[in-house]
Amino acid sequence: MAQNKPEILAKAKAWLTDIFDEDTQKEINNLIENDPKELEESFYKNAAFGTGGMRGIMGVGTNRINKYTLGKNTQGLSNLLKTEFKGEKLKVAIAYDCRNNSKELAQMVAEVFSANEIEVYLFSELRPTPELSFAVKFLDCHAGIVLTASHNPPEYNGYKVYWQDGGQLVPPQDTKLVDIINKLEYNEVNFKAKPEFIHKIDSEVDKAFQEASVENGSFNTSSSAKNNLKIVFTSLHGTACKTNPQILEKAGYKNVFLVEEQKEPNGNFPTVKSPNPEEPEALKMALDLAEEKNADIVIGTDPDGDRLGVAVRDLNGKMILLNGNQTMLMMTWFLLEKHKEQNKLSKNSFVASTIVSTPMLKNITESYGAQYHEVLTGFKWIAKLIKDNPGLDFVGGGEESFGYMVGDFVRDKDAATATLLACEIAAQMKAKGSSFYEQLLQLYTEHGLYREELTSLVKKGIEGEAEIKQMLVDLRENPWKEIDAEKVVLIEDYHTSKANNLQERIEEEINIPKSNVLIYYTENGTKIAARPSGTEPKIKFYFSVNSQLDKVEDFNTENAKLADKIQRIKNELQLG
């Protein structure tokens, strides 16, 4: 049997003191005696903040999500707030999703804030992440927390931190917080709750959020068009069941069919392998219901209700799941079109997306005379862009991983308002004798046909982390010179903030924050990005290829050619 490593054993034994409760100590003793491998995984490092806050497997130890690691985060945030907002009466909002232990962890977080005499506004029941972002601004809070692990497997949970603008934590506050947390000892966490500082919130915020979603997501769709649209919705056992059907009803959509088996929140996600609307398998029950009801559109959301998958009927009437880029293209086009019709479009209007999303979004945005801005992966960077540019008018923005934000009343990806927006598009297109899908193909004829795919290589544990680091090292030291017989002409390294133009032999600065991302561009516009996930044990490769599409009828042929091209590239680069 494997032996416990001395340095791991020392870290584990530090938890066998009166600071930690009996159950925690009992579990650690069990790992020491019976499971050296799991003990090492639990203690070999401190769980860290990624692009979406802290996310990890629940359990005992410094590398796990538990009351002590999250308590330390909360004590650190309390200390930071007192430094950043000296003399102010501090307020925070807290929400939690459907995951196992989310409610209990949210209560514990509230208690630590209260122990630090910070006023806490805690949702009385689970709520979607975008409503927490809204609540921070609506209640004039200094910060917000949501307990969630997005679409990760059931054993995960997480902790996302929001600042007073409703956006997730960004520099310089994020690095300040990490420094404070790292210097804290567990015995410095104040768990002695002061209940008078904890206030429960529910219907008042719900009403305001739902009304704001209807206002921002509605675009003069006629009653007849709404009545003529059949919608299937599933929350995949998540929190969106508390908001999205209600928003659709308030907006006037009556033909909404819910997947009954997935309607109730459940942290074990019993009907799906993964509660991720990016995966067609997760939406199978919804797609089956769509056939039964002859629905026009299917929408599924992830457990915390911030991202959505959209399926629509193709030219042959078959229901297909769009990828995140396609949904984002349609939503952005529609918003730009409506802003133009309402004379709200100006040179200060802007759309935002991320460096790993489709290049086609820039083409569409600039065709309307609006500005296009690109940021690192994660909606916190889009929120920061809005905050840093008060003179600009944010139209909408998204990323390839099935997230979209309509306007800036919420400063995070918002599947509630985006669900309504998708239905507005589908209803108006159908009323014109077209369809959501047909309009997407029309955009391809006007702006170029782009096809994107994502490959994720899962590398778990200590060895996996080292493997991912080495893959990026290898890519930097031995860069690809040619991809599918196309010369590489540009390499962007966001870790060094350098863009190396190989054709002109010019090196330029990249003026956005550093991140461990590499992007290759070829002479024909092929784009490949390599990026380690900030919240999951995987490295992601994003592929984008393009060609011209002369007419809609040629789509299947041209799209198949691009699919073949991506497969050739994957084979050539040995990426599956």
Side-chain angles (χ1 to χ4, degrees), residues 319-351:
M319 192 65 78
I320 59 163
L321 177 63
L322 301 176
N323 64 44
N325 283 306
Q326 292 172 317
T327 301
M328 173 172 60
L329 290 169
M330 278 296 290
M331 288 182 173
T332 303
W333 162 78
F334 186 78
L335 289 174
L336 289 166
E337 189 69 19
K338 293 302 170 186
H339 276 238
K340 182 181 176 184
E341 287 174 12
Q342 296 164 7
N343 293 317
K344 286 165 61 179
L345 209 56
S346 75
K347 63 181 182 181
N348 291 325
S349 300
F350 82 98
V351 166

Side-chain angles (χ1 to χ4, degrees), residues 499-516:
N500 189 5
N501 186 320
L502 302 177
Q503 277 187 318
E504 298 177 20
R505 298 186 179 182
I506 297 171
E507 192 172 77
E508 295 179 332
E509 287 289 320
I510 297 172
N511 294 316
I512 63 175
K514 291 180 185 291
S515 184
N516 193 12

Side-chain angles (χ1 to χ4, degrees), residues 550-569:
D550 295 327
K551 54 184 188 291
V552 165
E553 292 75 18
D554 295 340
F555 171 74
N556 288 337
T557 303
E558 289 301 317
N559 192 46
K561 289 179 185 175
L562 293 181
D564 288 343
K565 180 173 184 172
I566 289 177
Q567 190 55 55
R568 285 197 310 271
I569 292 170

Side-chain angles (χ1 to χ4, degrees), residues 187-217:
N187 63 3
E188 296 178 80
V189 181
N190 190 347
F191 286 107
K192 294 174 184 174
K194 294 184 177 178
E196 66 271 23
F197 283 89
I198 301 176
H199 318 281
K200 293 293 177 74
I201 52 173
D202 42 44
S203 55
E204 182 192 358
V205 181
D206 293 343
K207 183 173 182 286
F209 173 64
Q210 290 172 19
E211 286 175 354
S213 291
V214 171
E215 182 184 342
N216 284 272

Side-chain angles (χ1 to χ4, degrees), residues 300-316:
T301 52
D302 66 345
D304 68 323
D306 63 354
R307 69 180 71 200
L308 76 165
V310 177
V312 293
R313 296 196 181 276
D314 67 11
L315 299 180
N316 299 316

Side-chain angles (χ1 to χ4, degrees), residues 336-485:
L336 289 166
E337 189 69 19
K338 293 302 170 186
H339 276 238
K340 182 181 176 184
E341 287 174 12
Q342 296 164 7
N343 293 317
K344 286 165 61 179
L345 209 56
S346 75
K347 63 181 182 181
N348 291 325
S349 300
F350 82 98
V351 166
S353 189
T354 66
I355 57 175
V356 296
S357 298
T358 177
M360 182 176 167
L361 193 66
K362 184 173 189 280
N363 301 355
I364 292 175
T365 302
E366 292 183 348
S367 75
Y368 280 87
Q371 297 180 33
Y372 174 76
H373 294 279
E374 231 167 48
V375 294
L376 295 176
T377 306
F379 271 73
K380 65 181 184 181
W381 300 111
I382 297 179
K384 186 176 189 302
L385 200 60
I386 296 168
K387 183 180 175 182
D388 292 347
N389 294 279
L392 298 183
D393 174 30
F394 180 68
V395 175
E399 60 183 6
E400 53 71 43
S401 59
F402 285 57
Y404 202 82
M405 190 161 85
V406 185
D408 73 342
F409 78 105
V410 168
R411 294 279 177 92
D412 203 355
K413 50 184 176 284
D414 173 13
T417 314
T419 290
L420 173 56
L421 179 63
C423 294
E424 291 279 285
I425 298 169
Q428 291 194 23
M429 293 305 102
K430 187 177 182 182
K432 288 180 179 177
S434 181
S435 71
F436 195 114
Y437 187 78
E438 199 170 333
Q439 179 57 41
L440 174 64
L441 300 195
Q442 186 58 42
L443 292 180
Y444 286 144
T445 66
E446 295 168 16
H447 303 285
L449 174 58
Y450 285 75
R451 183 182 175 94
E452 279 81 25
E453 289 185 22
L454 169 65
T455 292
S456 294
L457 305 181
V458 177
K459 307 282 184 182
K460 292 184 178 180
I462 302 167
E463 293 87 354
E465 194 175 319
E467 236 181 298
I468 288 172
K469 283 182 182 173
Q470 191 57 48
M471 288 177 84
L472 268 299
V473 168
D474 291 344
L475 276 174
R476 287 189 170 93
E477 291 180 351
N478 303 290
W480 299 320
K481 293 183 172 61
E482 202 173 78
I483 298 169
D484 195 40

